[in-house]
Structure formats: C-alpha cells, structure tokens
Amino acid sequence: MIFKEINVPLYHNINNQKRIIIISMTKVRELTDTIIKGIQEKKGQKISIVDLRGIEGAICSYFVICQGNSPMQVEAITDSIEEFARVEQGEKPTHVVGRENAQWVAMDFTDVMVHIFVPDARSYYNLENLWQDAPLEEIPDLD
C-alpha cells in the first residue's frame, strides 16, 4: 500500500490563544500499515479501511475493520496488532475494549480505531456502511 504524505493543520485554543499544530499524516498511515501487518500475521480476513478524514466530527482519521473466525482468533489478532504497533511504531492503544467475550474488540490508537469482529457481529453492526461518504478500501486476504 502506498500513501502520500499530507499535513493537516489542527487548531487548539490554549490560554485563549489560537495555535496551529501540523500533524504529519504519514505517521498515521504507517501505523495503519503496521496494524494491517498484525492482522495478516494471524490470518485476519476481510480487512477494510474507512477513511474518515473528510467526515466532519469524525472521532479519528481511519477505521480499520477485520474479522477472525472465532473468539480465540479475534484475541490472537488483537495481541498481534498490539505487538506489531509496539515493536514497529513504538505505539500502543490508549484503550482496548471487548476482550472479555472477543466477539467485537475495539482498539483505540487515537487517530486509528481498529475493530476486530467475529463474522456474525461484523455483519450485524456493519460499520463499513455507517459513513457512506467515506472512501472505503478493501485489502485482499492473504492465502
């Protein structure tokens, strides 16, 4: 996957002064690529990337959505993503929820949200279609 670098100005009001902070989207895309490697390492399937950068009020820049065939595989994918992000990017999620039953695990990397489902939960929640205006990229499964 090849991504170009984009700088996005963010405006913060600090002590009643407006300051502009430039964040390189390259780092976010590198994290996204690393997350995909972690998913593929444990044979995660049907990987989709939802680009939310153009959606006003979106909680992050990207959703990465995938599935495992069982709760055990969902747990293994979650662990793999954590390991790849830590080793390759020096990142760890700020929150991870859903590990208890592993039907749907959500991992918050601030700019990237990762959703790992079992197939039934994925089709029920259908996150890919929540934002129909957002570009959707599907990553081919590794066989």
Short mmCIF file of all heavy atoms in Angstrom, two decimals, residues 31-71:
data_model
loop_
_atom_site.label_atom_id
_atom_site.label_comp_id
_atom_site.label_asym_id
_atom_site.label_seq_id
_atom_site.Cartn_x
_atom_site.Cartn_y
_atom_site.Cartn_z
N LEU A 31 1.23 3.70 10.80
CA LEU A 31 0.59 2.93 11.85
C LEU A 31 -0.50 2.04 11.26
O LEU A 31 -0.61 0.86 11.62
CB LEU A 31 0.00 3.86 12.92
CG LEU A 31 -0.79 3.19 14.04
CD1 LEU A 31 0.07 2.18 14.80
CD2 LEU A 31 -1.36 4.24 14.98
N THR A 32 -1.28 2.58 10.34
CA THR A 32 -2.33 1.79 9.69
C THR A 32 -1.73 0.59 8.96
O THR A 32 -2.23 -0.54 9.08
CB THR A 32 -3.13 2.68 8.71
OG1 THR A 32 -3.69 3.77 9.43
CG2 THR A 32 -4.25 1.89 8.05
N ASP A 33 -0.65 0.79 8.23
CA ASP A 33 0.02 -0.32 7.54
C ASP A 33 0.53 -1.37 8.54
O ASP A 33 0.43 -2.57 8.29
CB ASP A 33 1.20 0.19 6.71
CG ASP A 33 0.76 0.89 5.44
OD1 ASP A 33 -0.41 0.77 5.05
OD2 ASP A 33 1.61 1.57 4.83
N THR A 34 1.06 -0.91 9.65
CA THR A 34 1.57 -1.82 10.68
C THR A 34 0.43 -2.62 11.29
O THR A 34 0.57 -3.83 11.54
CB THR A 34 2.33 -1.03 11.76
OG1 THR A 34 3.43 -0.35 11.14
CG2 THR A 34 2.84 -1.92 12.87
N ILE A 35 -0.70 -1.99 11.52
CA ILE A 35 -1.89 -2.67 12.05
C ILE A 35 -2.33 -3.76 11.07
O ILE A 35 -2.64 -4.88 11.49
CB ILE A 35 -3.01 -1.65 12.34
CG1 ILE A 35 -2.64 -0.82 13.57
CG2 ILE A 35 -4.36 -2.35 12.50
CD1 ILE A 35 -3.49 0.42 13.76
N ILE A 36 -2.31 -3.45 9.80
CA ILE A 36 -2.70 -4.44 8.79
C ILE A 36 -1.74 -5.63 8.82
O ILE A 36 -2.18 -6.78 8.74
CB ILE A 36 -2.76 -3.78 7.39
CG1 ILE A 36 -3.95 -2.82 7.34
CG2 ILE A 36 -2.86 -4.84 6.29
CD1 ILE A 36 -3.94 -1.89 6.16
N LYS A 37 -0.46 -5.38 8.97
CA LYS A 37 0.51 -6.49 9.08
C LYS A 37 0.18 -7.38 10.28
O LYS A 37 0.26 -8.60 10.19
CB LYS A 37 1.93 -5.95 9.24
CG LYS A 37 2.54 -5.42 7.98
CD LYS A 37 4.02 -5.13 8.27
CE LYS A 37 4.46 -3.88 7.61
NZ LYS A 37 5.83 -3.50 8.00
N GLY A 38 -0.16 -6.74 11.40
CA GLY A 38 -0.52 -7.51 12.59
C GLY A 38 -1.75 -8.37 12.38
O GLY A 38 -1.82 -9.51 12.85
N ILE A 39 -2.72 -7.84 11.65
CA ILE A 39 -3.93 -8.60 11.32
C ILE A 39 -3.58 -9.79 10.43
O ILE A 39 -3.98 -10.93 10.68
CB ILE A 39 -4.98 -7.70 10.64
CG1 ILE A 39 -5.47 -6.62 11.60
CG2 ILE A 39 -6.14 -8.53 10.09
CD1 ILE A 39 -6.25 -5.50 10.93
N GLN A 40 -2.81 -9.52 9.39
CA GLN A 40 -2.45 -10.56 8.44
C GLN A 40 -1.58 -11.64 9.07
O GLN A 40 -1.66 -12.81 8.67
CB GLN A 40 -1.77 -9.95 7.21
CG GLN A 40 -2.73 -9.11 6.38
CD GLN A 40 -2.05 -8.36 5.26
OE1 GLN A 40 -0.88 -7.98 5.36
NE2 GLN A 40 -2.80 -8.12 4.19
N GLU A 41 -0.76 -11.27 10.04
CA GLU A 41 0.10 -12.24 10.73
C GLU A 41 -0.72 -13.37 11.36
O GLU A 41 -0.29 -14.51 11.41
CB GLU A 41 0.93 -11.53 11.81
CG GLU A 41 1.76 -12.44 12.67
CD GLU A 41 2.94 -13.06 11.93
OE1 GLU A 41 3.32 -12.56 10.85
OE2 GLU A 41 3.48 -14.06 12.44
N LYS A 42 -1.92 -13.05 11.82
CA LYS A 42 -2.79 -14.04 12.46
C LYS A 42 -3.96 -14.44 11.56
O LYS A 42 -4.99 -14.91 12.03
CB LYS A 42 -3.31 -13.52 13.80
CG LYS A 42 -2.21 -13.30 14.81
CD LYS A 42 -1.47 -14.60 15.10
CE LYS A 42 -0.33 -14.36 16.08
NZ LYS A 42 0.42 -15.59 16.35
N LYS A 43 -3.78 -14.24 10.26
CA LYS A 43 -4.76 -14.67 9.25
C LYS A 43 -6.12 -14.00 9.39
O LYS A 43 -7.16 -14.60 9.08
CB LYS A 43 -4.91 -16.19 9.26
CG LYS A 43 -3.60 -16.94 9.18
CD LYS A 43 -3.34 -17.44 7.81
CE LYS A 43 -2.16 -18.39 7.78
NZ LYS A 43 -0.92 -17.75 7.43
N GLY A 44 -6.13 -12.75 9.87
CA GLY A 44 -7.37 -11.98 9.89
C GLY A 44 -7.88 -11.79 8.47
O GLY A 44 -7.10 -11.74 7.52
N GLN A 45 -9.20 -11.71 8.32
CA GLN A 45 -9.81 -11.67 6.99
C GLN A 45 -10.65 -10.42 6.78
O GLN A 45 -11.02 -9.74 7.72
CB GLN A 45 -10.70 -12.90 6.81
CG GLN A 45 -9.95 -14.20 6.93
CD GLN A 45 -10.89 -15.38 6.95
OE1 GLN A 45 -12.01 -15.29 7.42
NE2 GLN A 45 -10.42 -16.51 6.42
N LYS A 46 -10.93 -10.19 5.50
CA LYS A 46 -11.83 -9.11 5.06
C LYS A 46 -11.45 -7.77 5.71
O LYS A 46 -12.28 -7.12 6.34
CB LYS A 46 -13.27 -9.48 5.32
CG LYS A 46 -13.70 -10.71 4.54
CD LYS A 46 -15.16 -11.01 4.72
CE LYS A 46 -15.53 -12.23 3.90
NZ LYS A 46 -16.92 -12.62 4.06
N ILE A 47 -10.22 -7.36 5.52
CA ILE A 47 -9.73 -6.11 6.09
C ILE A 47 -10.26 -4.94 5.26
O ILE A 47 -10.12 -4.93 4.03
CB ILE A 47 -8.19 -6.07 6.11
CG1 ILE A 47 -7.63 -7.26 6.90
CG2 ILE A 47 -7.70 -4.75 6.69
CD1 ILE A 47 -6.13 -7.45 6.76
N SER A 48 -10.85 -3.98 5.93
CA SER A 48 -11.34 -2.76 5.28
C SER A 48 -10.77 -1.56 6.01
O SER A 48 -10.63 -1.57 7.23
CB SER A 48 -12.87 -2.69 5.35
OG SER A 48 -13.45 -3.76 4.65
N ILE A 49 -10.46 -0.52 5.24
CA ILE A 49 -10.02 0.75 5.81
C ILE A 49 -11.04 1.80 5.41
O ILE A 49 -11.30 1.99 4.22
CB ILE A 49 -8.64 1.16 5.29
CG1 ILE A 49 -7.60 0.09 5.61
CG2 ILE A 49 -8.22 2.51 5.88
CD1 ILE A 49 -6.27 0.32 4.93
N VAL A 50 -11.63 2.44 6.40
CA VAL A 50 -12.58 3.53 6.16
C VAL A 50 -11.84 4.83 6.43
O VAL A 50 -11.36 5.06 7.54
CB VAL A 50 -13.82 3.40 7.06
CG1 VAL A 50 -14.82 4.50 6.72
CG2 VAL A 50 -14.46 2.02 6.93
N ASP A 51 -11.72 5.68 5.41
CA ASP A 51 -11.02 6.96 5.52
C ASP A 51 -12.01 8.03 5.99
O ASP A 51 -12.87 8.48 5.23
CB ASP A 51 -10.44 7.33 4.16
CG ASP A 51 -9.60 8.60 4.20
OD1 ASP A 51 -9.69 9.36 5.18
OD2 ASP A 51 -8.86 8.82 3.22
N LEU A 52 -11.88 8.42 7.25
CA LEU A 52 -12.82 9.36 7.86
C LEU A 52 -12.32 10.80 7.88
O LEU A 52 -12.97 11.67 8.46
CB LEU A 52 -13.13 8.90 9.30
CG LEU A 52 -13.77 7.53 9.42
CD1 LEU A 52 -13.83 7.10 10.88
CD2 LEU A 52 -15.15 7.53 8.79
N ARG A 53 -11.17 11.04 7.25
CA ARG A 53 -10.59 12.39 7.32
C ARG A 53 -11.50 13.46 6.74
O ARG A 53 -11.47 14.59 7.19
CB ARG A 53 -9.24 12.42 6.60
CG ARG A 53 -8.17 11.62 7.32
CD ARG A 53 -6.91 11.56 6.53
NE ARG A 53 -7.17 10.87 5.27
CZ ARG A 53 -6.38 10.91 4.22
NH1 ARG A 53 -5.25 11.58 4.27
NH2 ARG A 53 -6.68 10.25 3.12
N GLY A 54 -12.32 13.13 5.78
CA GLY A 54 -13.21 14.12 5.17
C GLY A 54 -14.57 14.22 5.83
O GLY A 54 -15.43 14.97 5.38
N ILE A 55 -14.78 13.47 6.90
CA ILE A 55 -16.08 13.45 7.58
C ILE A 55 -16.02 14.39 8.79
O ILE A 55 -15.24 14.19 9.71
CB ILE A 55 -16.44 12.02 8.05
CG1 ILE A 55 -16.40 11.03 6.88
CG2 ILE A 55 -17.78 12.01 8.76
CD1 ILE A 55 -17.37 11.33 5.77
N GLU A 56 -16.85 15.41 8.74
CA GLU A 56 -16.88 16.38 9.84
C GLU A 56 -17.33 15.70 11.13
O GLU A 56 -18.30 14.95 11.16
CB GLU A 56 -17.84 17.52 9.50
CG GLU A 56 -17.80 18.64 10.50
CD GLU A 56 -18.67 19.83 10.07
OE1 GLU A 56 -18.83 20.04 8.86
OE2 GLU A 56 -19.16 20.52 10.97
N GLY A 57 -16.59 15.95 12.20
CA GLY A 57 -16.93 15.40 13.51
C GLY A 57 -16.50 13.97 13.73
O GLY A 57 -16.85 13.38 14.75
N ALA A 58 -15.75 13.39 12.79
CA ALA A 58 -15.29 12.00 12.96
C ALA A 58 -14.35 11.92 14.16
O ALA A 58 -13.59 12.83 14.44
CB ALA A 58 -14.58 11.52 11.70
N ILE A 59 -14.40 10.80 14.86
CA ILE A 59 -13.62 10.63 16.08
C ILE A 59 -12.17 10.25 15.82
O ILE A 59 -11.35 10.26 16.73
CB ILE A 59 -14.26 9.59 17.01
CG1 ILE A 59 -14.35 8.23 16.32
CG2 ILE A 59 -15.62 10.06 17.48
CD1 ILE A 59 -14.76 7.10 17.23
N CYS A 60 -11.84 9.89 14.58
CA CYS A 60 -10.47 9.51 14.23
C CYS A 60 -10.29 9.69 12.72
O CYS A 60 -11.24 10.04 12.02
CB CYS A 60 -10.19 8.07 14.65
SG CYS A 60 -11.23 6.85 13.85
N SER A 61 -9.10 9.43 12.25
CA SER A 61 -8.81 9.55 10.82
C SER A 61 -9.19 8.30 10.04
O SER A 61 -9.64 8.39 8.90
CB SER A 61 -7.32 9.84 10.61
OG SER A 61 -6.96 11.07 11.20
N TYR A 62 -8.99 7.13 10.65
CA TYR A 62 -9.26 5.87 9.96
C TYR A 62 -9.89 4.85 10.88
O TYR A 62 -9.55 4.79 12.07
CB TYR A 62 -7.95 5.24 9.42
CG TYR A 62 -7.25 6.09 8.41
CD1 TYR A 62 -6.19 6.91 8.79
CD2 TYR A 62 -7.64 6.08 7.07
CE1 TYR A 62 -5.54 7.70 7.86
CE2 TYR A 62 -6.99 6.86 6.14
CZ TYR A 62 -5.94 7.67 6.54
OH TYR A 62 -5.31 8.46 5.62
N PHE A 63 -10.79 4.05 10.33
CA PHE A 63 -11.26 2.82 10.94
C PHE A 63 -10.58 1.70 10.17
O PHE A 63 -10.58 1.70 8.94
CB PHE A 63 -12.76 2.64 10.77
CG PHE A 63 -13.61 3.17 11.88
CD1 PHE A 63 -13.14 4.03 12.84
CD2 PHE A 63 -14.94 2.79 11.95
CE1 PHE A 63 -13.96 4.52 13.84
CE2 PHE A 63 -15.77 3.26 12.95
CZ PHE A 63 -15.28 4.12 13.90
N VAL A 64 -10.01 0.75 10.88
CA VAL A 64 -9.54 -0.49 10.27
C VAL A 64 -10.45 -1.58 10.83
O VAL A 64 -10.56 -1.73 12.04
CB VAL A 64 -8.06 -0.78 10.60
CG1 VAL A 64 -7.63 -2.12 10.00
CG2 VAL A 64 -7.16 0.34 10.08
N ILE A 65 -11.09 -2.31 9.93
CA ILE A 65 -12.08 -3.30 10.33
C ILE A 65 -11.66 -4.65 9.75
O ILE A 65 -11.25 -4.72 8.58
CB ILE A 65 -13.48 -2.92 9.80
CG1 ILE A 65 -13.86 -1.51 10.29
CG2 ILE A 65 -14.53 -3.95 10.23
CD1 ILE A 65 -15.04 -0.89 9.56
N CYS A 66 -11.73 -5.70 10.56
CA CYS A 66 -11.41 -7.04 10.08
C CYS A 66 -12.19 -8.05 10.88
O CYS A 66 -12.94 -7.70 11.79
CB CYS A 66 -9.91 -7.30 10.19
SG CYS A 66 -9.32 -7.51 11.88
N GLN A 67 -11.98 -9.32 10.54
CA GLN A 67 -12.66 -10.36 11.29
C GLN A 67 -11.77 -11.58 11.46
O GLN A 67 -10.87 -11.83 10.66
CB GLN A 67 -13.97 -10.76 10.64
CG GLN A 67 -13.83 -11.47 9.32
CD GLN A 67 -15.18 -11.71 8.67
OE1 GLN A 67 -16.03 -10.81 8.66
NE2 GLN A 67 -15.38 -12.89 8.12
N GLY A 68 -12.05 -12.29 12.53
CA GLY A 68 -11.48 -13.60 12.80
C GLY A 68 -12.62 -14.59 12.83
O GLY A 68 -13.76 -14.22 13.06
N ASN A 69 -12.32 -15.86 12.64
CA ASN A 69 -13.37 -16.87 12.56
C ASN A 69 -13.91 -17.33 13.91
O ASN A 69 -14.94 -17.99 13.95
CB ASN A 69 -12.87 -18.08 11.76
CG ASN A 69 -12.72 -17.74 10.29
OD1 ASN A 69 -13.54 -17.04 9.71
ND2 ASN A 69 -11.64 -18.22 9.70
N SER A 70 -13.21 -16.97 15.00
CA SER A 70 -13.63 -17.41 16.33
C SER A 70 -13.16 -16.37 17.35
O SER A 70 -12.27 -15.57 17.05
CB SER A 70 -13.00 -18.77 16.65
OG SER A 70 -11.60 -18.61 16.77
N PRO A 71 -13.73 -16.40 18.55
CA PRO A 71 -13.23 -15.51 19.60
C PRO A 71 -11.74 -15.70 19.87
O PRO A 71 -11.02 -14.73 20.12
CB PRO A 71 -14.08 -15.88 20.82
CG PRO A 71 -15.37 -16.36 20.24
CD PRO A 71 -14.96 -17.10 18.98
#
